[in-house]
């Protein structure tokens, strides 16, 4: 029977030569979480890790499913594991004379920074604080630790608003004329403890708990419960993390960074997480605890002398102030990066000159940094190309594919903070997360401005284009989360003063109100008034190297969804190998031709339609020529007209009158004809190939324009490879009738032009019946392109335009693992795709198969496409690099 609790550190430390005796569950992140696995691993390779134990994720799942209670077996294992800590450090939990204190932290299998709960200094009460003061010889330290514990425990476990405690601290500092926490003495902290206990009693109607075991189980309960907190659910939804995994709990002997000037705490990265530069990056605080750094409570100091000098900071670096501890820390950096073969995010504490490691994990990084690290590590021999390809999140590339601030543009700089997450963002000021989310839902660009962010702000941070904080450093919550999301962030902008009562903020002498526009440069830390213009990115250097590696290792081709020459140029620049979907209906909405389109639709007979189509033919030919010129030599899949005709019709009286004047038909006649074309369910109505069957002259005009343009381009240079796609086919007969029409038109054009071209006719598989009948349809069709947008709608019975009102609830309750219009429903829609692939290839082994819905740019969907053996995916132009990398990762996996 597997254990529920695993110990690490101390007497159970494994020497590197004794690795075979290690229980593999202690290194399994699905069992003990990422933090627990890495603590055990660090202890196992001989690093200074405070002893502790991990309660498994399995216990969290059981706790949440079985009614939030702890089993007798778990309690017995925790008691035994607590004994392991006591024996290692020589202190007893709850001993009034020489107390053991512990931290209680979460630890999911993947990093979720700040999303779940932590409690430090647990085990303090009115008796043990006296013992701590005596054994440490530092009364100030003991009472500071006690007030920290009361505040954190009351907030995390008891649910008392943490602002009440912060206000009490500010009041006592003001009353005594103190500017910083370090000015407060033991008697001041002792008085504040009394204030804090009074706050708890007044809010809860009972005293702050004094039983240390009651404290411990309360903290464990809080960590388990935090897995299902609102902020954790939002983070999981944004990062596709399963709600079924649960979190582990890590209980560890406390080490103290707040024991005077020889003690410190810090957060560090073995490489710069913003740029990828191979240089130590981090922050530290003297006489502080870890939460002071990550929560942005105090603006920390630079870790290295080089970074301090570069920033022009006055406070000493750790390298200068604590050279011995820094040298040891640097050695640990090198050891951990070599061991894990990845950049590490490390938390450490120095207690009276002794270095302790509290955490290591693969660090969050920007897309630019991820690329540089991957390429550099290959050059250093740390990893190979295949690992480098799989190391970079394809979706993170989106950060690199959008404009940056124009260096020549005028800038009205208001202030400068810390460049916490690179990139540029402009938007309206919003001062809280809920307002940011609501504004984003209305399509507004906003910048979230806070004193400091907390995990409860996660939804607003995701909604905002950028984040600005008045406090906090480069490793604060805001900085870490912003980098992970790819949001530009400026932190620690001390000149920013926020007044929530009036919804205004002051920066120096300038006053701004909520709704005013500002611009952030997360690369320089500048905060500017108004909107600053941008320039397109240049994708060279590390980006090009990694993409070249990806192209060598992927099997599937990557095309683009594009319907203009400009789209095609962007797509080719991003490495597209053709057009997988050219939607011709977008061309019809052009203002110069909409009248002819409407004349064609409203015509009473074939002759009238042909007269209007004759006006459209040269325009459509010009459209295709521009696309074929950009894609010369590459395949271009052109979807013939798909949407229902009513979408092109006028609605307002003025539009009818204007059309009447242009085409010479009375308004009453036009309105009658429009009424005749009205449909109650147009998505399943007279659209797609049904238009071609009933009005073949429409598809005939489009085919003629397409083949004439292709011949013209071939005459001048390299020939394109047209692929004519018939949409919404449900039967073999539909496609056979329309293929015959297309072939006849092609033959006529080739005869007129005196040349022939290679072309193909196929269909879009977007109806369940088409997938089921793929074997028959493949007798006619030379290629299938899976239109997974409509296939998802018709399979699930969901309207993409309306489902947003309830899909979040479905995802949150686990009905769908994610939005099926964002990531393919592999169990349902995917089964139809797989079936169509199998039956289509059984009939026509050389049939070309691709996907052209929005799923063509989604890495999880691309992995499925590789699994079922599609030949290509097609994505929007800016997602082509994402698809290239995801296709390589799918092939390698």
């Amino acid at each position: 029977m597997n254990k529920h609790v695993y110990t690490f550190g101390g007497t159970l430390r494994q020497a590197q030569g004794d690795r075979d005796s290690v229980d593999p569950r202690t290194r399994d992140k699905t069992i003990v979480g990422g933090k627990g696995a890495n603590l055990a691993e660090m202890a196992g390779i001989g690093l200074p890790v405070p002893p502790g134990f991990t309660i498994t994720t399995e216990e969290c799942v059981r706790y949440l499913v079985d009614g939030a209670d702890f089993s007798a077996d778990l309690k017995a294992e925790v008691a035994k594991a607590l004994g392991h800590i006591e024996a290692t450090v020589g202190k007893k939990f709850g001993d009034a004379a020489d107390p053991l204190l512990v931290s209680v932290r979460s630890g999911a299998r993947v990093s979720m920074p700040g999303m779940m709960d932590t409690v430090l200094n647990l085990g303090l009460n009115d008796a043990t604080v006296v013992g701590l003061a005596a054994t440490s010889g530092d009364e100030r330290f003991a009472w500071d630790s006690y007030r920290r514990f009361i505040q954190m425990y009351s907030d995390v476990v008891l649910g008392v608003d943490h602002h009440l405690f912060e206000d009490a601290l500010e009041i006592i500092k003001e009353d005594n004329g103190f500017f910083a926490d370090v000015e407060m003495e033991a008697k001041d902290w002792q008085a504040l403890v009394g204030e804090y206990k009074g706050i708890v009693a007044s809010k809860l109607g009972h005293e702050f708990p004094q039983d240390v075991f009651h404290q411990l189980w309360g903290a464990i309960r809080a960590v388990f419960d935090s897995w299902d907190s609102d902020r954790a659910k939002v983070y999981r939804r944004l990062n596709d993390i399963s709600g079924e995994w649960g979190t582990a709990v890590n209980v560890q002997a406390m080490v103290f960074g707040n024991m005077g000037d020889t003690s410190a705490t810090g957060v560090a990265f073995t490489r710069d997480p913003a740029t990828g530069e191979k240089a130590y990056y981090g922050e530290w605080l003297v006489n502080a605890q870890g939460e002071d750094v990550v929560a942005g409570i105090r603006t920390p100091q630079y870790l290295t002398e080089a970074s301090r000098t570069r920033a022009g900071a006055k406070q000493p670096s750790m390298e200068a102030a604590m050279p011995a501890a820094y040298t040891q820390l640097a050695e640990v950096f090198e050891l951990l990066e070599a061991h894990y073969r990845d950049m590490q995010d490390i938390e450490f504490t120095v207690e009276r000159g002794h270095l302790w490691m509290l955490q290591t994990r693969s660090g969050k990084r920007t897309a630019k940094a991820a690329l540089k690290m991957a390429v550099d590590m290959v050059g250093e021999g740390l990893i190979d190309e295949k690992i480098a390809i799989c190391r970079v999140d394809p979706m993170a590339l989106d950060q690199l594919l959008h404009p940056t601030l124009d260096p020549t543009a005028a800038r009205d700089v208001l202030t400068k903070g810390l460049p916490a997450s690179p990139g540029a963002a402009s938007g309206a000021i919003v001062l809280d997360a809920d307002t940011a989310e609501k504004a984003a839902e209305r399509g507004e660009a906003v910048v979230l401005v806070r004193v400091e962010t907390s995990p409860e702000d996660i939804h607003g941070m995701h909604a905002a284009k950028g984040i600005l904080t008045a406090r906090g450093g480069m490793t604060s919550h805001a900085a870490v989360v912003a980098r992970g999301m790819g949001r530009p962030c400026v932190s620690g902008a001390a000149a920013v003063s926020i007044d929530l009562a009036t919804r205004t903020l002051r920066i120096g002498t300038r006053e701004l109100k909520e709704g005013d526009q500002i611009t952030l440069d997360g690369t320089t830390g500048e905060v500017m008034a108004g909107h600053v213009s941008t320039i397109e990115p240049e994708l060279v250097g590390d980006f090009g190297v990694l993409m070249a590696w990806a192209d060598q290792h992927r099997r599937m081709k990557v095309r683009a969804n594009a319907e203009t020459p400009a789209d095609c140029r962007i797509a080719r620049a991003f490495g597209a190998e053709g057009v997988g979907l050219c939607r011709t209906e977008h061309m019809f909405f052009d203002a110069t031709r909409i009248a002819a389109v409407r004349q064609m639709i409203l015509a009473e007979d074939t002759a009238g339609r042909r007269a209007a189509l004759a006006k459209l033919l040269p325009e459509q030919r010009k459209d295709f020529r521009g696309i074929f010129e950009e894609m010369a030599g590459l395949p271009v899949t052109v979807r013939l007209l798909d949407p229902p005709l009513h979408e092109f019709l006028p609605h307002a009286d003025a539009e009818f009158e204007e059309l009447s004047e242009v085409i010479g038909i009375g308004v009453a006649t036009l309105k009658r004809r429009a009424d005749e074309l009205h449909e109650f369910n147009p998505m399943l109505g007279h659209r797609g190939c049904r238009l071609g069957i009933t009005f073949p002259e429409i598809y005939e005009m489009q085919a003629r324009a397409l083949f004439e343009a292709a011949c013209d381009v071939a005459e001048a240079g390299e020939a394109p490879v047209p692929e004519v796609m018939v949409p919404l086919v449900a039967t073999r007969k539909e496609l056979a009738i329309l293929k015959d029409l297309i072939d006849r038109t092609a033959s006529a054009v080739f005869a007129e032009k005196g040349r022939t071209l290679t072309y193909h006719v196929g269909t879009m598989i977007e109806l369940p019946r088409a997938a089921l009948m793929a074997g028959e349809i493949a007798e006619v069709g030379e290629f299938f392109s899976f239109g997974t947008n409509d296939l998802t709608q018709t399979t699930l019975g969901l309207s993409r335009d309306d489902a947003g009102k309830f899909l979040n609830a479905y995802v949150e309750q686990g009905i769908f693992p994610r939005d099926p219009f964002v990531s393919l429903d592999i169990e349902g829609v995917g089964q139809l795709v797989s079936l169509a692939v199998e039956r289509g290839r059984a009939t026509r082994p050389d049939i070309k198969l691709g996907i052209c819905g929005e799923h063509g740019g989604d890495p999880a969907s691309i992995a499925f496409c590789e699994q079922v053996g599609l030949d290509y995916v097609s994505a929007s132009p800016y997602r082509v690099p994402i698809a290239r990398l995801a296709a390589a990762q799918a092939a390698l996996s």
Side-chain angles (χ1 to χ4, degrees):
M1 180 176 168
N2 289 322
K3 295 164 60 178
H4 308 291
V5 179
Y6 293 92
T7 57
F8 56 82
T11 58
L12 293 186
R13 187 175 74 189
Q14 301 289 325
Q16 267 190 289
D18 191 25
R19 305 284 288 166
D20 291 342
S21 63
V22 173
D23 185 336
R25 281 171 59 87
T26 66
R27 305 300 194 270
D28 186 342
K29 293 181 181 181
T30 68
I31 303 299
V32 295
K35 185 174 294 181
N38 288 335
L39 285 169
E41 185 71 8
M42 283 198 295
I45 61 176
L47 293 181
V49 175
F53 61 85
T54 302
I55 304 174
T56 67
T57 59
E58 298 160 328
E59 276 301 301
C60 175
V61 173
R62 190 204 61 76
Y63 167 90
L64 294 172
V65 169
D66 291 353
D69 200 5
F70 302 112
S71 67
D73 286 346
L74 177 63
K75 290 179 179 178
E77 287 193 47
V78 166
K80 183 178 178 182
L82 196 58
H84 157 71
I85 302 177
E86 291 174 331
T88 302
V89 301
K91 297 175 184 288
K92 293 286 290 182
F93 190 56
D95 182 3
D98 189 10
L100 166 68
L101 304 186
V102 297
S103 63
V104 181
R105 302 172 188 256
S106 63
R109 69 170 72 174
V110 295
S111 176
M112 295 173 59
M115 294 303 110
M116 290 175 292
D117 287 332
T118 293
V119 178
L120 304 180
N121 306 309
L122 190 142
L124 280 171
N125 58 26
D126 293 349
T128 58
V129 68
V130 177
L132 181 64
T135 56
S136 67
D138 189 338
E139 195 175 9
R140 181 194 181 281
F141 149 72
W143 287 101
D144 176 30
S145 299
Y146 193 17
R147 69 91 187 175
R148 288 170 181 271
F149 171 57
I150 294 173
Q151 177 173 347
M152 188 174 281
Y153 192 92
S154 299
D155 173 29
V156 168
V157 181
L158 304 180
V160 181
D161 188 347
H162 65 93
H163 289 108
L164 297 173
F165 301 100
E166 291 167 10
D167 291 345
L169 172 59
E170 291 304 314
I171 289 170
I172 203 167
K173 283 162 66 177
E174 287 177 12
D175 289 348
N176 288 277
F178 299 146
F179 176 74
D181 294 0
V182 292
E183 299 175 62
M184 294 181 62
E185 299 177 356
K187 61 181 177 58
D188 303 311
W189 290 127
Q190 188 171 0
L192 189 61
V193 164
E195 291 285 335
Y196 279 9
K197 289 167 65 180
I199 291 170
V200 173
S202 66
K203 290 296 177 184
L204 301 181
H206 61 75
E207 297 299 316
F208 185 82
Q210 296 292 302
D211 184 318
V212 295
F213 290 96
H214 177 88
Q215 293 173 1
L216 176 62
W217 286 104
I220 294 170
R221 184 184 301 276
V223 172
F224 279 165
D225 287 338
S226 70
W227 176 254
D228 273 343
S229 66
D230 289 341
R231 65 180 185 266
K233 287 178 179 178
V234 170
Y235 189 90
R236 290 201 298 269
R237 175 169 55 81
L238 296 178
N239 292 277
D240 286 335
I241 296 170
S242 171
E244 298 177 356
W245 291 350
T247 180
V249 176
N250 298 286
V251 179
Q252 194 172 15
M254 279 295 300
V255 289
F256 299 97
N258 59 328
M259 293 187 77
D261 291 342
T262 60
S263 300
T265 189
V267 175
F269 297 80
T270 56
R271 303 189 188 213
D272 189 323
T275 67
E277 179 188 1
K278 190 177 182 182
Y280 303 147
Y281 175 104
E283 296 170 323
W284 75 305
L285 281 169
V286 178
N287 198 16
Q289 290 195 335
E291 285 299 299
D292 296 343
V293 178
V294 298
I297 294 169
R298 287 165 57 186
T299 299
Q301 298 157 229
Y302 287 92
L303 192 72
T304 67
E305 191 62 15
S307 57
R308 184 200 67 78
T309 303
R310 189 164 54 243
K314 295 179 180 178
Q315 294 292 328
S317 67
M318 182 180 178
E319 185 178 8
M322 291 186 174
Y326 175 82
T327 299
Q328 187 183 0
L329 183 63
E331 291 171 355
V332 170
F333 287 166
E334 297 300 319
L335 190 155
L336 286 176
E337 187 168 280
H339 183 77
Y340 287 101
R341 298 196 298 165
D342 195 9
M343 182 268 279
Q344 294 297 291
D345 169 3
I346 295 163
E347 292 181 20
F348 65 90
T349 285
V350 179
E351 181 181 287
R352 291 179 170 169
H354 184 85
L355 177 68
W356 291 97
M357 305 307 299
L358 304 183
Q359 174 171 285
T360 191
R361 59 189 175 193
S362 292
K364 300 286 185 185
R365 64 206 72 181
T366 65
K368 179 181 178 182
L371 286 169
K372 180 168 178 56
M373 288 180 202
V375 172
D376 284 356
M377 287 180 182
V378 172
E380 295 162 19
L382 201 58
I383 59 176
D384 61 24
E385 287 181 14
K386 293 179 181 180
I387 293 175
I389 290 167
C390 295
R391 180 73 50 88
V392 178
D393 177 7
M395 292 304 296
L397 294 182
D398 195 45
Q399 299 171 32
L400 302 176
L401 306 177
H402 295 283
T404 55
L405 289 184
D406 183 348
T408 65
R411 301 187 181 200
D412 179 6
V413 179
L414 299 170
T415 188
K416 190 170 183 179
L418 299 173
S421 182
S426 295
I429 295 168
V430 292
L431 299 178
D432 65 80
D434 290 340
T435 302
E437 186 174 53
K438 290 173 184 173
E441 288 171 354
R442 296 192 298 268
E444 299 172 17
V446 296
V447 173
L448 179 63
V449 183
R450 303 284 280 159
V451 174
E452 74 257 346
T453 63
S454 72
E456 282 74 20
D457 292 324
I458 182 71
H459 57 296
M461 296 175 74
H462 183 261
K465 298 294 184 184
I467 300 149
L468 170 64
T469 68
R471 294 207 297 251
M474 308 277 276
T475 57
S476 65
H477 173 266
V480 171
V481 173
R483 284 194 292 270
M485 288 182 171
R487 298 292 187 276
C489 176
V490 175
S491 63
V496 175
S497 175
I498 299 171
D499 186 341
L500 286 175
T502 61
R503 310 299 287 185
T504 61
L505 62 104
R506 180 174 290 278
I507 303 179
T509 60
R510 303 273 288 274
E511 185 171 294
L512 302 170
K513 62 182 182 299
E514 193 167 42
D516 287 347
Q517 291 281 319
I518 60 171
T519 297
L520 306 181
D521 187 339
T523 306
T524 65
E526 288 181 328
V527 181
M528 292 148 279
H531 180 87
V532 179
S533 60
T534 58
I535 56 173
E536 291 297 318
E538 290 186 21
L539 301 175
V540 293
D542 296 324
F543 179 91
V545 171
L546 191 82
M547 286 294 105
W549 293 343
D551 292 342
Q552 290 168 15
H553 289 281
R554 66 181 164 88
R555 181 193 61 82
M556 288 189 295
K557 300 289 187 181
V558 176
R559 301 190 192 180
N561 301 337
E563 45 262 356
T564 69
D567 287 343
C568 292
R569 277 192 296 276
I570 293 170
R572 284 205 81 160
F574 286 157
E577 297 160 300
V579 171
L581 176 62
C582 173
R583 304 175 179 91
T584 55
E585 60 270 13
H586 290 181
M587 304 166 180
F588 281 24
F589 281 106
D590 187 280
T592 62
R593 63 188 76 165
I594 189 65
V597 174
R598 288 170 172 172
Q599 180 183 353
M600 178 269 293
I601 294 168
L602 295 169
E604 301 276 5
D605 54 29
T606 302
R609 280 189 294 277
R610 286 195 178 277
L613 288 167
K615 299 177 185 178
L616 290 171
L617 175 61
E619 299 292 338
Q620 185 95 111
R621 182 170 56 236
K622 185 171 70 174
D623 292 332
F624 290 139
R625 177 165 185 155
I627 291 168
F628 291 151
E629 285 173 343
E630 295 294 339
M631 289 291 172
L634 296 176
V636 177
T637 304
V638 176
R639 183 178 72 184
L640 300 180
L641 192 64
D642 183 38
L645 297 179
H646 78 92
E647 287 192 8
F648 300 96
L649 293 180
H651 301 286
D653 288 343
E655 291 178 315
F656 275 107
E657 290 168 5
E658 181 182 343
L659 180 62
S660 175
E661 291 179 12
V662 171
I663 66 176
I665 299 176
V667 171
T669 303
L670 293 177
K671 287 188 174 181
R672 174 183 59 77
R673 184 75 178 118
D675 287 341
E676 291 171 358
L677 291 170
H678 172 74
E679 293 180 305
F680 289 102
N681 190 354
M683 189 213 148
L684 299 178
H686 193 188
R687 55 166 287 213
C689 68
R690 299 157 195 172
L691 292 173
I693 295 292
T694 53
F695 303 134
E697 55 274 12
I698 297 176
Y699 278 11
E700 182 186 341
M701 181 278 290
Q702 289 194 292
R704 171 166 281 278
L706 184 154
F707 290 122
E708 288 179 352
C711 286
D712 291 345
V713 171
E715 179 112 10
E718 195 173 6
V721 184
E723 297 179 345
V724 188
M725 183 159 68
V726 180
L728 212 72
V729 160
T731 70
R732 178 191 185 281
K733 188 67 173 176
E734 287 170 318
L735 184 58
I737 291 171
L738 294 172
K739 183 178 186 299
D740 182 60
L741 170 69
I742 294 162
D743 288 341
R744 288 198 316 269
T745 305
S747 296
V749 171
F750 294 161
E752 294 163 12
K753 295 285 187 179
R755 68 179 307 132
T756 60
L757 290 174
T758 299
Y759 72 94
H760 305 285
V761 179
T763 187
M764 209 168 187
I765 302 293
E766 48 193 328
L767 296 174
R769 190 184 194 280
L772 294 171
M773 304 304 294
E776 283 190 10
I777 294 171
E779 293 172 5
V780 180
E782 297 167 282
F783 67 86
F784 290 164
S785 181
F786 291 94
T788 49
N789 297 344
D790 275 359
L791 188 58
T792 297
Q793 293 193 97
T794 54
T795 302
L796 296 180
L798 291 175
S799 164
R800 183 174 51 163
D801 297 325
D802 301 312
K805 298 171 184 174
F806 58 83
L807 268 181
N808 278 348
Y810 268 56
V811 173
E812 287 172 3
Q813 295 180 50
I815 299 170
F816 294 144
R818 57 188 63 84
D819 183 336
F821 294 108
V822 174
S823 194
L824 190 69
D825 164 34
I826 291 172
E827 289 183 351
V829 178
Q831 194 172 152
L832 285 173
V833 173
S834 183
L835 187 71
V837 169
E838 180 185 336
R839 293 182 177 179
R841 284 209 167 119
T843 298
R844 188 186 291 266
D846 63 346
I847 192 169
K848 188 181 293 185
L849 302 171
I851 184 173
C852 63
E854 289 302 309
H855 300 105
D858 169 60
S861 305
I862 291 169
F864 170 77
C865 294
E866 173 70 27
Q867 181 185 330
V868 298
L870 297 193
D871 297 303
Y872 70 87
V873 298
S874 188
S876 61
Y878 280 100
R879 286 214 162 188
V880 166
I882 293 170
R884 289 165 64 194
L885 182 56
Q889 292 180 352
L892 289 171
S893 66

